[in-house]
Amino acid sequence: MDLRPSALRALCIIDPAEKAAVVRDLHARATTLTLDPGAVLDEPAGLPGRPALPRLVPAMAVPRRSHRHPLGLAALMHAIAHIEFNAINLALDAVWRFPGLPPAYYLDWLRVAAEEAEHHLLVVGHLATLGHRYGDFDAHDGLWTMTWNTRHDFIARMALVPRTLEARGLDATPLIQDKLREVGDLAAVAILDVILREEVGHVAIGNHWYRWACERAGQDPVALYPELVRRYEAPRLRPPFNLAARRAAGFTAEELVWLQVPAPARERT
């Protein structure tokens, strides 16, 4: 089997548990798979494969609930499960969609997909202890929307999905963990420890391939980034920022200085 068509078939799987299992198996067998980086694959309709639930609504329409209430705590964990499911899909899309890249690129993103699958299963397993399952709450589609919007622009994909939207998780996770400690859900805190540690590596992969793509195109990665943010209307990044995690993920001092400029001034650069 070839790695890239296999990733596309996995992306088409509707059932989250089946998708996670297939992705983990693909990663376990990565060294035995063939790889044709130059193949241009036909895109099937209906990407990505996903279940009928959760119902997808605009971000502002997702109900806000207190984590201090059992239903609010479950909704918080459901939101994380949804993020991790979408992260499986975006990693698989990165594997199959872009031809002509170094083999290491495809192996990197297959590893990301497998780790995101593990994250999704961990969170869904914990959600079950709270009396709920994936699909019980409404969710929004922001992560996949940006993945789809950048499907024809490899540099923008690397800039705006892993190192922008996923990097927001580096900032948000410690704050979520504080909420979970407040209500005594230490099992969830431990799950998020795993997710945060591995997400640093995922963002680092995005940083690496963004800079690689910029060098190949003769672009300055720091100067290009704000232009891509404006072009694709990426979400505004607001403090607090987890600077230690961002440094570990490969953001440069120059990038972190720019990030901490107040948003209105930053958007004029």
Side-chain angles (χ1 to χ4, degrees):
M1 291 197 304
D2 189 88
L3 189 156
R4 292 179 57 229
S6 297
L8 178 55
R9 286 191 292 271
L11 181 60
C12 295
I13 294 172
I14 292 172
D15 180 75
E18 180 186 355
K19 178 174 289 188
V22 168
V23 169
R24 294 167 75 193
D25 179 66
L26 276 177
H27 181 247
R29 296 187 294 112
T31 58
T32 69
L33 300 175
T34 59
L35 175 60
D36 182 1
V40 177
L41 306 178
D42 292 331
E43 181 169 341
L47 292 182
R50 52 188 170 191
L53 296 175
R55 187 171 69 107
L56 299 178
V57 300
M60 297 302 295
V62 176
R64 298 184 181 277
R65 300 179 172 95
S66 172
H67 64 282
R68 298 181 183 90
H69 188 277
L71 192 64
L73 178 61
L76 174 61
M77 296 308 298
H78 185 276
I80 298 170
H82 182 66
I83 289 169
E84 300 302 328
F85 178 67
N86 272 287
I88 303 170
N89 289 332
L90 74 85
L92 291 171
D93 195 80
V95 173
W96 86 264
R97 184 174 296 279
F98 300 106
L101 299 171
Y105 165 84
Y106 301 105
L107 294 173
D108 275 351
W109 284 104
L110 182 61
R111 176 170 70 84
V112 171
E115 290 177 353
E116 302 290 16
E118 181 64 28
H119 298 171
H120 176 75
L121 294 174
L122 284 171
V123 179
V124 167
H126 187 68
L127 188 61
T129 71
L130 303 177
H132 291 275
R133 60 185 179 180
Y134 182 55
D136 281 356
F137 299 88
D138 289 348
H140 69 82
D141 205 26
L143 190 55
W144 179 258
T145 297
M146 184 60 75
T147 302
W148 181 252
N149 289 347
T150 57
R151 65 193 182 278
H152 300 307
D153 188 337
F154 175 65
I155 293 181
R157 170 68 67 84
M158 293 297 104
L160 300 178
V161 177
R163 67 191 307 275
T164 299
L165 296 186
E166 287 197 281
R168 293 172 78 184
L170 305 183
D171 306 322
T173 298
L175 304 179
I176 295 171
Q177 288 179 301
D178 287 343
K179 292 180 179 181
L180 295 170
R181 290 188 188 96
E182 181 185 337
V183 297
D185 194 341
L186 299 185
V189 172
I191 290 171
L192 291 189
D193 278 338
V194 173
I195 292 175
L196 179 59
R197 182 174 63 252
E198 294 184 349
E199 290 295 342
V200 168
H202 302 173
V203 176
I205 287 170
N207 268 320
H208 170 76
W209 289 110
Y210 171 65
R211 295 196 181 101
W212 178 90
C214 286
E215 182 178 356
R216 184 178 66 166
Q219 296 274 9
D220 178 343
V222 177
L224 178 62
Y225 180 75
E227 178 185 329
L228 294 171
V229 168
R230 287 190 291 268
R231 185 186 309 166
Y232 288 94
E233 300 179 341
R236 296 180 178 184
L237 299 180
R238 300 186 183 279
F241 299 113
N242 187 343
L243 297 179
R246 284 178 173 269
R247 289 189 194 98
F251 286 95
T252 66
E254 184 178 3
E255 288 170 325
L256 293 178
V257 167
W258 178 84
L259 191 65
Q260 295 173 84
V261 172
R266 188 197 312 149
E267 290 161 8
R268 292 194 297 269
T269 61

